[in-house]
Amino acid sequence: MQKFLTILRREYVSRVKTKGFILGTILIPLFMIAVSVLPAIMVLLKSEDQRRIAVIDRSGEIYEALYHSLDDSTETGIRKFNLRRQEAGVENLDAVKKSLADEIDKEMLDSYIYIPMDILRTSSAELYGRVVSNFQENERIEDAISRIVTETRIKRSGLDPEAVRQLTKNVRIVTFKVGPGGKEEEDRGYSFVMAYGLAMFLYMAMFIYGAIILRSVIEEKSSRVIESVISSVKPFHLMAGKIFGVGAVGLTQFLIWTIALGLISAYGVQVAVMLAPGAKGASLPSMPIAVLVSFVIYFLLGYFLYATLYAAVGAMVNSEQEAQQLQWPIVILIIIPIMFIMFIIQNPASQTSVILSMIPFFAPIIMLARIVVQMPPLWEILLSMFIMVATIFGAIWVVAKIYRVGVLMYGKRPNLPEIIKWIRYS
Amino acid sequence: MEALRLENVSKSFDKVQAVGDLSLTVPAGKVYGFLGPNGAGKTTTLRMLLQIILPDSGNVHILGQLNSREALDRVGYLPEERGGYRKMKVHEALEFFGELKGMKRKDCQQKIDYWLGRFEMAQARTKKMEELSKGNQQKIQFLTAVLHEPDLIVLDEPFMGLDPINALLLKEILLEQKNRGAAIIFSTHLMDEAEKLCDSICLINKGKKVLDGELKTIKQNFGKKNIILSYTGTADYLKDSSLVKQYNDYGNHVEISLNDGASYKALLQRALQEADISRFEMVEPSLNEIFISTVTQN
């Protein structure tokens, strides 16, 4: 036990003290926030550049309204869409189009819109530009023209556009999540985001901490320090100390993140209001305690299972390059539940979901997603945990044997029959 | 009191026998040389006595205990494969190995300071292992074998890769450890070092023991005596095959193995007739000679 703790402490201290750990602890959440939030922010960011757009309005009914409608401004407060009317008749249409295209080519113009004479009937207009991949802007222009055309048609038919707008107003569905005890709670897609986010988090954690175990085993092997170590401590204790030590590193990171998250949910709104008064009344999603507890449990179970498997791979290979070739079965096991995650979130209680959440290699991600979206019966949760614990013990039993022989083997990578022999004879 | 006893220990890998039916005893407080050509099974045997690998059959008694892991805390081991935790600082690595042997952190630190001073490496204390030279890394690894003052020290090729000065220092330290009461078993194929250090030896070849016992007795029993002779004059007597079995003539210095049954007196008389003799010395066979003749006969 003393030796196990000595190994554990070395694994823990030698990792927590590194710059890598400190950076990782700060950067991983930033990275995850960046990945999930940045695209949204980028979209919201107003484009600095003014768009110089020429409009050929052959119908003669659109330009005025369009000019008023596209009144967005840039950050510097000038009109974003700098529209200019371009006259053209039937006879010189092609020539006008050609000269506008030339202007675009010489970057004197960004794009031009061609509105045909019969737009009210055909509902079709054309946009020409150097860059036509800015969906937001295209959509903005399309919406504006579309609304103008619709209103014109309504007016022509003698109806009141305002009355029509009232009559055709869309219905908005507000979702409420009914939790245990029938408690209702407005849900603005939080449970989807949370299930997906936690699943992705577990997915990344399995890879990151698995890779740490893998590297740790290979390092001892390739630096040949392993023999000195196992002349003092049983290989099993070495393996266990390593897995628990790295696990403790993971828990430390979680603790830091949980505290940070707690601070953010306690003070985040206040800070946000201070920075931007408009955020008043906004609320941050909070994680139910049951979800938090099952998250920690499934993280630990998943970690122990995959760390054990990665330890076996590490013991079988001589270098990280070789490990790349040998770890694919584990990688597939980690990826499969992520491939099912959308289905699980949409159908948390389906038979497929229940079966998948009982398979120990998938249970952490899938059962956690189920718990977030729709709390499954307690016996299902307990059964999946029990299956996982049993699998972990089985894996440790097998892997300890592979480990014991493997860490002393250099040179040729063992094939499957050899590995089976290790398991049977050691 | 014996520090180590192997009884009929065997180990095979994939039907190839690495060690067969090997028995040997290392007395406490003695230096024991474990000799043999490359691939004789030396490293396999040493690994078995540290329970790094387990024998297929036979018993290993360490410090009087049979197949005991606890006893290993009182054993120090320098593996043949050299290496350490590259990213760890020297003192951290040494503390780690000391604690694995059950030492208290504080005792560890005192010992580390002492030993680093002894090796003139005090300034390396807080350096990372990877910043040290190969030779210095090897010294640190050797320290992990003696730091906890073990009763049995097992060294696999300890002189490999050491310069003459460090080899001398190592010899000095091994003798100190012996005087402290520790038993030392080390493998080597450097017969010079073994000859100077060992009280007893065991010679194995192809996994089997071919010779063992006290070095003195082995040399006496080996029987053959050599003669070293310095002379000026002719040396026709060397051709007398009734006297001389083999010789190496360097012109005024010759090494002679006498023929079986020939007496050294007869040789001296013949030599005096032909030349002026300035030196006539009878020497014991060297361990090197015993090694080569035993292994090639075998």
Side-chain angles (χ1 to χ4, degrees):
Chain A
M1 193 62 190
Q2 184 55 48
K3 294 182 178 185
F4 163 76
L5 290 176
T6 304
I7 300 276
L8 190 157
R9 212 195 55 220
R10 195 198 81 81
E11 293 289 337
Y12 181 78
V13 172
S14 72
R15 275 169 230 299
V16 169
K17 274 201 324 198
T18 59
K19 290 189 198 83
F21 173 81
I22 297 163
L23 280 177
T25 307
I26 299 168
L27 288 183
I28 289 174
L30 284 184
F31 174 75
M32 293 194 72
I33 291 168
V35 164
S36 53
V37 176
L38 264 190
I41 292 177
M42 297 301 277
V43 165
L44 290 177
L45 274 182
K46 288 181 180 172
S47 166
E48 276 293 322
D49 302 332
Q50 204 180 35
R51 300 269 174 258
R52 293 157 303 177
I53 305 172
V55 180
I56 307 173
D57 184 7
R58 297 267 294 125
S59 73
E61 291 181 78
I62 307 296
Y63 182 78
E64 286 301 325
L66 187 61
Y67 186 85
H68 291 295
S69 179
L70 290 177
D71 60 351
D72 315 38
S73 55
T74 65
E75 300 250 292
T76 48
I78 52 168
R79 278 185 71 97
K80 172 159 186 184
F81 297 101
N82 181 13
L83 298 189
R84 161 188 123 200
R85 186 171 209 145
Q86 180 70 48
E87 299 298 344
V90 187
E91 63 292 342
N92 68 345
L93 181 61
D94 288 340
V96 169
K97 277 187 167 181
K98 177 89 181 55
S99 80
L100 288 176
D102 279 348
E103 276 186 65
I104 289 172
D105 190 42
K106 288 177 190 142
E107 301 198 15
M108 291 153 64
L109 197 64
D110 293 301
S111 51
Y112 73 88
I113 301 167
Y114 169 65
I115 298 169
M117 187 91 84
D118 54 354
I119 185 165
L120 291 183
R121 193 168 52 76
T122 60
S123 301
S124 169
E126 290 160 16
L127 175 72
Y128 299 82
R130 210 171 25 250
V131 182
V132 288
S133 54
N134 191 328
F135 305 101
Q136 252 89 34
E137 289 179 14
N138 296 354
E139 215 170 291
R140 179 80 181 84
I141 294 168
E142 190 179 55
D143 277 354
I145 298 178
S146 195
R147 215 177 38 249
I148 294 162
V149 168
T150 313
E151 286 191 8
T152 313
R153 285 182 191 145
I154 292 169
K155 266 188 221 154
R156 292 255 173 107
S157 66
L159 295 169
D160 173 13
E162 187 53 32
V164 171
R165 206 171 12 251
Q166 287 298 326
L167 293 171
T168 58
K169 199 170 180 187
N170 284 339
V171 172
R172 193 172 73 94
I173 290 262
V174 186
T175 50
F176 294 88
K177 186 176 161 161
V178 180
K183 221 177 85 205
E184 291 165 17
E185 206 181 319
E186 187 173 347
D187 184 328
R188 298 181 203 152
Y190 288 159
S191 54
F192 172 82
V193 171
M194 195 186 289
Y196 192 74
L198 291 180
M200 287 308 283
F201 193 94
L202 278 187
Y203 168 79
M204 280 172 62
M206 297 304 118
F207 275 122
I208 291 170
Y209 296 117
I212 294 178
I213 293 281
L214 184 68
R215 235 176 286 137
S216 170
V217 174
I218 293 173
E219 190 210 339
E220 277 175 353
K221 227 182 134 173
S222 64
S223 71
R224 316 271 156 151
V225 76
I226 185 76
E227 217 178 319
S228 295
V229 180
I230 58 176
S231 69
S232 309
V233 50
K234 280 185 173 175
F236 180 75
H237 287 152
L238 172 61
M239 188 180 96
K242 202 179 273 303
I243 291 174
F244 276 87
V246 174
V249 174
L251 281 183
T252 307
Q253 267 178 334
F254 271 149
L255 199 66
I256 295 170
W257 291 335
T258 312
I259 291 170
L261 207 70
L263 288 177
I264 288 171
S265 45
Y267 300 108
V269 175
Q270 293 175 24
V271 173
V273 170
M274 249 162 60
L275 293 174
K280 208 166 190 171
S283 70
L284 286 169
S286 62
M287 194 187 279
I289 196 77
V291 171
L292 185 66
V293 169
S294 32
F295 175 63
V296 172
I297 292 174
Y298 278 109
F299 165 75
L300 287 176
L301 291 174
Y303 167 76
F304 277 112
L305 183 56
Y306 282 105
T308 309
L309 298 183
Y310 270 109
V313 172
M316 282 186 246
V317 299
N318 300 302
S319 66
E320 287 191 38
Q321 285 82 353
E322 266 184 53
Q324 300 292 340
Q325 298 160 22
L326 210 67
Q327 64 177 316
W328 59 265
I330 305 179
V331 172
I332 288 176
L333 286 178
I334 301 179
I335 289 177
I336 287 175
I338 284 297
M339 287 164 39
F340 279 100
I341 195 72
M342 281 301 173
F343 174 83
I344 302 293
I345 291 175
Q346 285 161 11
N347 312 283
S350 71
Q351 201 181 13
T352 315
S353 302
V354 174
I355 291 169
L356 282 173
S357 63
M358 291 301 150
I359 297 171
F361 300 101
F362 311 153
I365 287 176
I366 291 190
M367 190 53 107
L368 189 67
R370 289 186 59 199
I371 289 172
V372 174
V373 180
Q374 179 188 352
M375 185 62 86
L378 187 63
W379 70 266
E380 282 185 18
I381 299 175
L382 292 178
L383 180 61
S384 91
M385 285 180 178
F386 174 79
I387 294 173
M388 279 209 74
V389 170
T391 311
I392 289 167
F393 275 106
I396 289 174
W397 186 76
V398 171
V399 169
K401 290 172 176 233
I402 294 177
Y403 190 83
R404 172 170 192 114
V405 182
V407 287
L408 287 170
M409 289 283 169
Y410 296 108
K412 198 175 80 68
R413 206 177 74 202
N415 52 29
L416 196 62
E418 279 170 321
I419 292 167
I420 291 168
K421 206 158 76 188
W422 293 1
I423 297 169
R424 282 172 59 194
Y425 291 113
S426 60
Chain B
M1 184 48 195
E2 60 196 28
L4 170 70
R5 193 166 85 235
L6 300 189
E7 287 171 348
N8 311 101
V9 168
S10 299
K11 179 77 188 177
S12 301
F13 296 109
D14 280 336
K15 294 181 186 124
V16 179
Q17 193 169 54
V19 176
D21 207 24
L22 180 67
S23 301
L24 61 83
T25 306
V26 178
K30 298 284 182 195
V31 179
Y32 194 93
F34 194 48
L35 317 177
N38 295 330
K42 300 190 293 281
T43 297
T44 304
T45 307
L46 297 185
R47 283 180 173 179
M48 279 193 286
L49 62 94
L50 283 140
Q51 298 178 32
I52 293 169
I53 49 179
L54 302 177
D56 297 337
S57 62
N59 292 323
V60 179
H61 298 263
I62 291 173
L63 303 167
Q65 287 174 278
L66 174 65
N67 301 336
S68 147
R69 273 214 85 96
E70 280 83 68
L72 286 183
D73 279 355
R74 294 192 285 139
V75 180
Y77 176 49
L78 173 72
E80 186 184 20
E81 303 277 8
R82 303 294 147 78
Y85 289 107
R86 294 208 306 275
K87 299 282 175 199
M88 270 180 117
K89 289 185 177 150
V90 167
H91 74 98
E92 290 172 342
L94 287 170
E95 279 164 25
F96 171 67
F97 283 108
E99 279 178 48
L100 278 189
K101 289 295 190 187
M103 285 178 89
K104 296 242 165 31
R105 174 88 59 100
K106 217 163 168 202
D107 300 342
C108 251
Q109 283 160 345
Q110 276 179 357
K111 292 272 185 245
I112 290 167
D113 288 341
Y114 164 75
W115 280 109
L116 288 179
R118 188 76 200 276
F119 278 128
E120 294 178 357
M121 286 177 68
Q123 78 291 349
R125 196 173 177 279
T126 52
K127 279 196 180 148
K128 283 187 180 171
M129 287 292 282
E130 62 186 353
E131 295 167 23
L132 300 183
S133 70
K134 267 254 159 67
N136 281 345
Q137 284 183 17
Q138 190 170 334
K139 284 189 233 170
I140 300 299
Q141 205 179 6
F142 172 76
L143 285 192
T144 64
V146 294
L147 197 64
H148 55 297
E149 302 199 330
D151 297 324
L152 172 64
I153 301 172
V154 181
L155 309 168
D156 203 347
E157 299 281 359
F159 293 98
M160 192 173 62
L162 285 186
D163 62 46
I165 294 166
N166 281 312
L168 208 66
L169 181 61
L170 178 61
K171 245 177 282 179
E172 196 183 301
I173 290 169
L174 289 183
L175 289 178
E176 273 173 30
Q177 294 291 319
K178 172 187 165 181
N179 292 336
R180 181 174 63 77
I184 299 163
I185 176 168
F186 71 98
S187 75
T188 186
H189 45 246
L190 299 176
M191 295 304 137
D192 253 16
E193 312 293 350
E195 189 156 15
K196 286 176 210 155
L197 267 172
C198 293
D199 300 304
S200 305
I201 60 148
C202 171
L203 179 57
I204 68 166
N205 189 25
K206 293 174 186 151
K208 306 259 195 216
K209 180 167 77 181
V210 287
L211 189 66
D212 74 333
E214 276 188 62
L215 191 57
K216 234 189 290 168
T217 326
I218 288 174
K219 284 190 168 185
Q220 278 166 10
N221 293 350
F222 197 67
K224 278 192 285 186
K225 290 224 164 149
N226 288 354
I227 289 164
I228 293 176
L229 204 149
S230 298
Y231 67 97
T232 38
T234 57
D236 290 338
Y237 59 91
L238 291 173
K239 313 254 168 14
D240 186 344
S241 58
S242 66
L243 282 172
V244 176
K245 189 177 177 186
Q246 238 182 347
Y247 67 93
N248 264 329
D249 193 2
Y250 298 92
N252 52 13
H253 170 101
V254 62
E255 292 167 15
I256 301 162
S257 333
L258 278 186
N259 212 336
D260 300 334
S263 89
Y264 68 92
K265 281 181 183 162
L267 179 79
L268 181 58
Q269 277 166 359
R270 270 296 302 272
L272 279 169
Q273 287 166 14
E274 290 179 27
D276 287 338
I277 306 299
S278 59
R279 177 185 177 199
F280 185 88
E281 189 182 352
M282 293 178 56
V283 289
E284 285 184 322
S286 70
L287 192 51
N288 203 35
E289 217 179 316
I290 297 173
F291 178 88
I292 292 170
S293 100
T294 314
V295 169
T296 45
Q297 267 173 36
N298 191 245

